């Protein structure tokens, strides 16, 4: 027995894996290049590897990152950042303002083909550069001194500090990219400025991060490393967690919540994600160009049943397009189901028992989505509407939506603590993410006015006006905010639920 | 007929009758949702319990079985429609044609068919028709070989020689004399194709690439049940039905084959 | 013999080319593309992306480019796993799929043949009926039923074996069992029939009448002929095992080729899908060739056929 203990202790010293936290991520990262990333599950890992100008506190607040402080000019157009003088790359090189200039130019360079480059379009000339219509050096990002960075914007954008949280705004190491070319993202080549470095990456096996000794706050990073293990299937994730193979899983099946609450209550972390799930009508196609039909279908849905009986994880009902968690923004008014009115509206629109409304409801593959659509179809049947369901993989689903190839569809929007991020979806000139091709001159006018306004309060009032206008037309039916369902080993401290569901491993430690 | 095969055939018929008539006897509709009975275990109200959406699992299992069996039957028909003429023509014509046709069959054996079927379904939609045509179109190879073998035997029979001597045309001989005579063994092998097709369909549906809600199949139900650790009835009932069906079909097919092949009698060591 | 192998190889190359072409055009004809996702892509960005993967060229040009690449052994970059090439992904996934596949195949072969032989040796006795029944039972439990049940019982319930992953030999136990069950049954049936036929062969009957010991009779005379039908089924069985590993890899989250294929198809990762299909096809063709060669060695009738087909 003693020999065994000794051996296992020795083994732990050799590998150092004993103190690693093993996190079951929701899938395999497609890339760890912050400028080419595309998925939320990559954000989690990149957030451990890199440090942007701003970063998130354990509770999800915006706090200084690579920048100690920043100033915004009176007109809201110029942001000046003071960088940490002691910030270093993982190979010991200092992190400078020039590195950020290089990084943002790389992000917006059309040759990088970054799919999320538009996150940085608020920067002056960013869109023109990314479309190939302006030279790289015309970008509104300048190194004033070695540790002073100025960013000029196209228009006032009060939420810019939050935009900088995304990996698209992380710095990348110019010297490592110069040395290794495209292979700079491989373990051994990758140089980072965050709390961890990339130690190993086995595709579909795991991504292993080790502590970065050059991190400016390395003293306060307790973990020697983290292992992100891709587990696509939430049931498999739960099985592996219960078998002790994972210390944290970022998603478990909704149906197991009750059992887990009864048997493993101190492991369960359930909290709302900053998001809105909604149904969208293709308003360019009859009969959904008739507001009465859209209103009838909206009134037939009982959101309380969806959240309390079907989903049951404590989801918050959404009556408006902006999630109720978004700060400083008044939530939309409650709208109760009214089946009698729904039937009358349908009758007025020409749909009777002999000539019922028939429609196809599209959604993307997933257990939760499936149960929601089944329930909605059943609610619509009770007002005499015949629904057929059609599901497709995420890629195909959203390609269909963008091409307007649908009647009614389920969609979701994730992301920011910023009402515009959600309300933009209904602007007529936003492009094909306005899936339903909703067009209201009044809505567009209010939104454009808001975007030109630097004063936050006036801006919010204008945005709210636009939201009310959009909801009055029933072009979308907001349903609920998604819940994050994670399991975290009670031995791990420092794990705070936050609405973005990003948990920096630098804040975690074992009991 | 063999006693065992009769029992199996009776079992299959009973199952089919239950699947197709069962829904008429149950008070629950296939898509009816019982909002207050989501995820409930088996009870007197819902004999098999309910699924994650509050639908009666007995009715869903029956519905899934109908879809699985229908697809299996239609796919087998498709494989029959290709394999029977292919084997009969190759066997009857013989020579160069036979060689080329059977070489094609050999070549097709080397293809990763399941993968092509999956590509088809993923790319061109979860359409049940597409599903059974695709599966049927890839499962005719065995049948073609067996039909060819039988045709070779029948070809030399007296009455065919006689027909040939009388100047009866080849297509006439094949359709009127060869096909009816190889039909028996072909049918027996078809019963062995059915379980294979059922597995193929459940396999694709299990990966989430097959049948669409609100329609269902045993593969879909098992895949759903497999994600529910604490609602085991959602896995057990459809899995049992599938397993029993596969068992019965395999046993029936085996015994029919044995009954036709009297060779295997009384050797003991 | 060399000519036979040479012809088969040429035949296999043509088959591979057909498979790749079918996959290529199927994928391109399908709706949805590799860069469609949850978030919007401004047209300029989409153009940049398409250009960087040569997707903006006419289809025949792309096809020719792909064929040339494959010809030189390069399966291209993965569209979704941007930091890896398809070659790197296959190198990572293939050993895992082969590990599960080969161990399941060996288990099925050994255990199935054993069951079948034992049943045949006691033909028409209770033992025969019991073992044959047991084997038939295996056919009724495809991996999609067995895999989730095994996880529930042995990983979650009893916690004897891991529920997923691939880092130690223990991780392969449950997937192997789940995958092999139906093939144990199939091999048992085939070897039983093979044995029964072998027992009727003249030289076996003669040997038996001479009073040869039971053990020598079985090992020297019965098993070698009984193995022939088993072997002839090995090619198709191996192919089916590879396909079945998709379900098993999904349930046990094993990062094998099957998972790459399914994920690639779902994500429209063109190069990854074509790469995996190509590797699978090559594997199946190679296996079939191997089985044919072995078959010729064991069964003289086939050997003469091979010689005949050389003319």
């Amino acid at each position: 027995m003693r020999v065994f203990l000794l051996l296992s202790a020795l083994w732990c010293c050799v590998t150092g894996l004993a103190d690693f936290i093993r996190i079951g991520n929701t899938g395999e990262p497609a890339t760890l290049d912050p400028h080419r990333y595309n998925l939320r599950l990559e954000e989690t890992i990149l957030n451990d590897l890199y440090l942007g100008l701003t970063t998130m506190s354990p509770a999800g607040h915006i706090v200084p990152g690579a920048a100690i402080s920043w100033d915004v000019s009176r007109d809201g157009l110029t942001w000046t950042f003071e960088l940490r003088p002691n910030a270093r790359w993982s190979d010991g090189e200092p992190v400078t303002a020039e590195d950020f200039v290089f990084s943002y130019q790389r992000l917006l360079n059309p040759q990088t083909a970054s799919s999320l480059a538009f996150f940085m379009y608020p920067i002056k000339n960013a869109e023109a550069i990314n479309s190939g219509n302006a030279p790289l050096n015309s970008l509104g990002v300048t190194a004033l001194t070695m540790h002073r960075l100025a960013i000029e914007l196209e228009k006032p954008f009060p939420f810019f500090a939050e935009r900088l949280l995304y990996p698209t705004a992380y710095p990348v190491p110019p010297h490592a990219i110069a040395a290794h070319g495209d292979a700079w993202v491989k373990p051994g080549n990758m140089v980072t400025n965050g709390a961890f470095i990339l130690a190993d990456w086995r595709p579909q096996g795991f991504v292993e991060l080790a502590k970065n000794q050059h991190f400016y706050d390395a003293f306060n990073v307790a973990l020697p490393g983290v292992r992100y293990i891709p587990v696509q299937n939430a049931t498999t994730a739960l099985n592996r967690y219960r078998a002790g193979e994972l210390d944290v899983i970022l998603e478990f099946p909704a149906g197991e919540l009750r059992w887990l609450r009864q048997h493993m209550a101190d492991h369960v972390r359930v909290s709302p994600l900053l998001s809105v799930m909604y149904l969208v009508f293709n308003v360019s196609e009859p009969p959904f160009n008739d507001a009465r039909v859209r209103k009838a279908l909206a009134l037939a849905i009982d959101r309380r049943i969806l959240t309390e009986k079907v989903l049951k994880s404590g989801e918050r009902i959404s009556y408006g397009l902006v999630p109720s968690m978004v700060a400083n923004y008044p939530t939309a008014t409650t709208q109760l189901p009214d089946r009698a009115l729904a039937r009358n509206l349908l009758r007025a629109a020409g749909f009777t028992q002999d000539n019922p409304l028939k429609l196809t409801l599209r959604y993307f593959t997933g257990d939760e989505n499936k149960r929601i659509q089944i329930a909605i179809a059943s609610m619509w049947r009770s007002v005499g509407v015949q629904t057929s369901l059609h599901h497709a993989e995420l890629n195909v689903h959203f390609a269909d939506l963008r091409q307007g190839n649908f009647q009614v569809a389920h969609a979701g929007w994730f992301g920011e603590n910023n009402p515009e991020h959600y309300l933009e979806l209904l602007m007529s000139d936003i492009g094909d993410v306005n899936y339903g091709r909703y067009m209201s001159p009044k809505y567009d006018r209010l939104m454009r006015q808001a975007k030109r306004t630097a004063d936050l309060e006036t801006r919010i009032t204008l945005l709210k006006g636009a939201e009310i206008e959009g909801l009055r037309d029933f072009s979308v039916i907001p349903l609920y905010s998604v819940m994050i369902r994670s399991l975290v080993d009670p031995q791990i401290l420092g794990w705070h639920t936050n609405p973005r569901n990003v948990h920096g491993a630098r804040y975690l430690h074992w009991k | 007929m063999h006693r065992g095969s009769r029992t199996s055939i009776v079992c299959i018929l009973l199952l089919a009758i239950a699947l197709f008539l069962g829904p008429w006897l149950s008070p629950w509709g296939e898509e009816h949702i019982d909002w207050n009975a989501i995820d409930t275990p088996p009870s007197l109200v819902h004999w098999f319990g309910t699924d994650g959406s509050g639908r009666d699992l007995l009715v869903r299992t029956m519905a899934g079985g109908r879809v699985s069996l229908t697809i299996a039957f239609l796919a087998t028909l498709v494989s029959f429609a290709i394999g029977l003429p292919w084997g009969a023509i190759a066997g009857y014509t013989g020579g160069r044609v036979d060689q080329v046709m059977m070489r094609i069959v050999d070549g097709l054996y080397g293809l990763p068919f399941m993968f092509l079927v999956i590509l088809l379904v993923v790319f061109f939609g979860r359409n049940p028709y597409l599903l059974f045509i695709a599966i049927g179109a890839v499962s005719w190879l065995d049948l073609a070989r067996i039909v060819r073998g039988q045709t070779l035997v029948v070809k030399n029979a007296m009455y065919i020689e006689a027909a040939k001597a009388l100047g009866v045309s080849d297509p006439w001989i094949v359709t009127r004399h060869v096909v009816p005579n190889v039909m028996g063994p072909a049918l027996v092998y078809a019963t062995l194709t059915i379980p294979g097709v059922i597995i193929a369909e459940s396999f694709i549906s299990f990966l989430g690439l097959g049948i669409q809600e609100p329609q269902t199949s045993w593969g879909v139900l098992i895949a759903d049940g497999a994600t529910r650790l604490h609602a085991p009835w959602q896995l057990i009932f459809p899995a049992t039905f599938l397993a029993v069906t596969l068992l019965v079909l395999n046993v029936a097919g085996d015994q029919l084959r044995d009954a036709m092949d009297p060779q295997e009698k009384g050797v003991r060591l | 013999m060399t000519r036979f192998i040479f012809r088969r190889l040429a035949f296999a190359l043509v088959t591979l080319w057909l498979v790749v072409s079918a996959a290529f055009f199927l994928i391109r004809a399908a709706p949805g593309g590799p860069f469609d996702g949850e978030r919007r892509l401004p047209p300029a960005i989409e153009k940049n992306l398409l250009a960087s993967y040569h997707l903006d060229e006419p289809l025949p040009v792309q096809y020719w480019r792909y064929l040339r690449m494959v010809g030189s052994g390069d399966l291209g970059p993965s569209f979704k796993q941007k930091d890896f090439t398809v070659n790197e992904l296959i190198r990572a996934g293939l050993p895992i799929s082969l590990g599960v596949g080969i161990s399941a195949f060996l288990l099925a072969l050994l255990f199935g043949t054993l069951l079948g032989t034992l049943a045949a040796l006691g033909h028409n006795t209770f033992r025969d009926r019991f073992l044959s029944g047991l084997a038939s039972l295996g056919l009724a439990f495809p991996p999609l039923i067995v895999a989730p049940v095994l996880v529930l019982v042995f990983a979650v319930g009893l916690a004897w074996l891991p529920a997923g992953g691939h880092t130690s030999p223990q991780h392969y136990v449950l997937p192997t069992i789940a995958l092999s069950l139906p093939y144990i049954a199939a091999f048992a049936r085939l070897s039983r029939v093979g044995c029964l036929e072998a027992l009727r062969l003249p030289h076996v009957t003669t040997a038996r009448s001479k009073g040869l010991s039971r053990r020598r009779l079985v090992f020297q005379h019965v098993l070698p002929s009984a193995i022939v039908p088993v072997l002839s089924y090995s090619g198709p069985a191996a192919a089916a095992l590879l396909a079945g590993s998709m379900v098993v890899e999904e349930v046990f989250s094993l990062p094998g080729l099957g998972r790459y294929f399914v994920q690639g198809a779902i994500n429209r990762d063109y190069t990854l899908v074509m790469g995996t299909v190509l590797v699978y096809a090559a594997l199946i063709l190679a296996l079939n060739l191997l089985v044919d060669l072995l078959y010729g060695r064991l069964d003289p009738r086939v050997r003469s056929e091979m010689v005949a087909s050389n003319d």
Side-chain angles (χ1 to χ4, degrees), chain A residues 38-86:
Chain A
N38 202 17
L39 303 168
R40 278 186 298 132
L41 66 95
E42 292 154 357
E43 267 177 43
T44 315
I45 305 177
L46 289 169
N47 178 57
D48 285 338
L49 287 171
Y50 296 91
L51 185 66
L53 292 167
T54 60
T55 191
M56 256 178 285
S57 72
H61 299 301
I62 302 170
V63 293
I68 307 179
S69 64
W70 54 88
D71 279 320
V72 189
S73 65
R74 287 273 304 270
D75 58 3
L77 287 174
T78 309
W79 291 56
T80 315
F81 294 85
E82 201 68 50
L83 303 191
R84 272 179 210 284
N86 58 342

Side-chain angles (χ1 to χ4, degrees), chain A residues 256 309 370 381 391 393, chain B residues 36 126 212 224 229-230:
Chain A
E256 304 300 325
K309 305 248 174 182
K370 183 174 83 182
R381 193 166 47 239
H391 76 101
E393 298 80 30
Chain B
N36 295 313
R126 285 71 190 276
Q212 292 255 18
D224 284 353
L229 305 179
H230 300 107

